[in-house]
Amino acid sequence: MHIQNRIESGIQNNKEVLFIVNEIDEYMQGHPAGKMITDSDELSFVYLFDQEEGYGYVHFSQAVWPLMVDVILNDLEPVISFGNNKIPLVSFKEELSMLLYNIEGNDNYGEAFTSAVEEAFKPILQRME
């Protein structure tokens, strides 16, 4: 079974945005893969962690999409926080920007997900045009 952790909250702390992992299904192992995908059924972006056997998944729910917008617009450092641990998310901004560009106007992700992304990330998408 693949490990899936959810991020439902976060805070901006100076030049960082701390995305807080609320409940950890299993201790996060591995290291940031620098890759991001989507889970359109769950309306979330998913950051991947390289692990010995495959990937671990960190789901970014709609609740933290405004912080994701801030990360890109204000060039902040994205970090996940769980317990006393902090892990910088390499290539987060680049991966998210690439996904946003691919999702805009593309209902292959599902109409509900595409519409939600276009609305939440409008400030970024307008800048990309």
Side-chain angles (χ1 to χ4, degrees):
M1 180 172 95
H2 296 288
I3 305 303
Q4 296 186 20
N5 295 294
R6 303 195 85 51
I7 295 183
E8 303 282 341
S9 65
I11 56 170
Q12 183 175 340
N13 184 16
N14 296 319
K15 293 295 281 175
E16 285 183 334
V17 171
L18 299 174
F19 292 104
I20 300 163
V21 178
N22 293 334
E23 294 182 26
I24 300 174
D25 295 328
E26 184 174 299
Y27 181 76
M28 295 182 77
Q29 300 173 3
H31 59 278
K35 297 177 185 168
M36 187 179 285
I37 59 175
T38 63
D39 183 339
S40 55
D41 293 336
E42 293 289 324
L43 296 177
S44 66
F45 289 90
V46 183
Y47 188 89
L48 305 179
F49 269 72
D50 281 323
Q51 296 179 337
E52 273 187 42
E53 296 181 23
Y55 290 107
Y57 303 94
V58 178
H59 287 249
F60 289 79
S61 72
Q62 283 184 280
V64 295
W65 290 4
L67 285 170
M68 295 168 74
V69 169
D70 289 344
V71 164
I72 292 179
L73 290 180
N74 300 312
D75 195 28
L76 303 173
E77 291 303 315
V79 176
I80 61 167
S81 173
F82 57 98
N84 293 324
N85 300 303
K86 287 172 48 175
I87 301 174
L89 299 175
V90 297
S91 300
F92 182 93
K93 292 180 260 191
E94 296 82 3
E95 288 286 305
L96 178 58
S97 295
M98 180 189 67
L99 282 171
L100 294 175
Y101 178 75
N102 287 324
I103 292 167
E104 184 180 27
N106 184 348
D107 284 338
N108 288 337
Y109 289 90
E111 186 178 333
F113 184 70
T114 300
S115 295
V117 168
E118 289 174 346
E119 181 61 31
F121 292 91
K122 187 183 289 185
I124 295 169
L125 293 169
Q126 288 174 341
R127 242 178 51 176
M128 296 169 102
E129 293 174 357

